[in-house]
Every structure is written in structure tokens, then in C-alpha cells.
Amino acid sequence: MSQRLFEVLERLAATIETRKGGDPATSYTAKLLNDPALAAKKLGEEAVETVIAAVAQGPDALAAESADLLYHWLALMAASGVSLDAVAEKLAAREGTSGHAEKASRPS
């Protein structure tokens, strides 16, 4: 990952954290944080839009939709109480394992 992307995501995650307890009527992020199901729904919508951009709209649209996807993913993690360190631990545990082997190791 580029250092710039990492830094931007770090700032965005920190900004999202500051919206916890905010007024959902005036802050979209606070609205998502207040309703994990809504945050999950919005992430799903953004995932579909990202796929559409990837197959039909070109690199600029894909970059824009990817930014939306990452924002909504960070909001869902915060709304659900899942730390980014917990996600990092899961990823680190998979390093050096083929995708097929990792998937096969998951419980059904």
C-alpha cells in the first residue's frame, strides 16, 4: 500500500472516531456509527458501485468508488466495535498462506 493511502486512511479513521456520539441528524458519519446495520447496507451498496465502476466506467470512476467503499468500510468497523488492529491481526495471520488453503481452513 502506498504510504500516502495509509496516511489518508489513518486520518479518515481518526475523523470517523471523533464522530462517535455525534448527532445523526447533522452528521452522516454519526448516523452510520449509530446504526451498524445501516453502515453494513451502505458498504454493500458501495461495493456494488465499485464493481460496476471496475467493469464499465474506467479508472477515475473506480478510484472514486473505491474511496467511497473504504470510507464506508471504516465506518462499519467503527460502528461494529471492530478495531483496525483486529483486522490487521487477521491479515497478518494469513501472510504466507495461499488463498485456497486459507479458505479451506475456515469452518463451514
Side-chain angles (χ1 to χ4, degrees), residues 10-87:
E10 218 172 23
R11 287 193 307 271
L12 180 56
T15 299
I16 289 169
E17 284 295 319
T18 68
R19 300 301 194 270
K20 283 187 174 178
D23 182 0
T26 60
S27 168
Y28 178 68
T29 300
K31 184 176 182 175
L32 294 174
L33 294 172
N34 196 46
D35 187 349
L38 175 63
K41 178 181 179 270
K42 295 304 294 182
L43 177 65
E45 290 172 8
E46 293 302 336
V48 170
E49 290 173 10
T50 301
V51 170
I52 292 167
V55 299
Q57 298 174 344
D60 189 58
L62 178 56
E65 292 300 340
S66 294
D68 291 346
L69 180 68
L70 289 170
Y71 160 77
H72 284 88
W73 178 77
L74 289 170
L76 177 59
M77 294 298 99
S80 300
V82 176
S83 75
L84 298 182
D85 285 339
V87 176

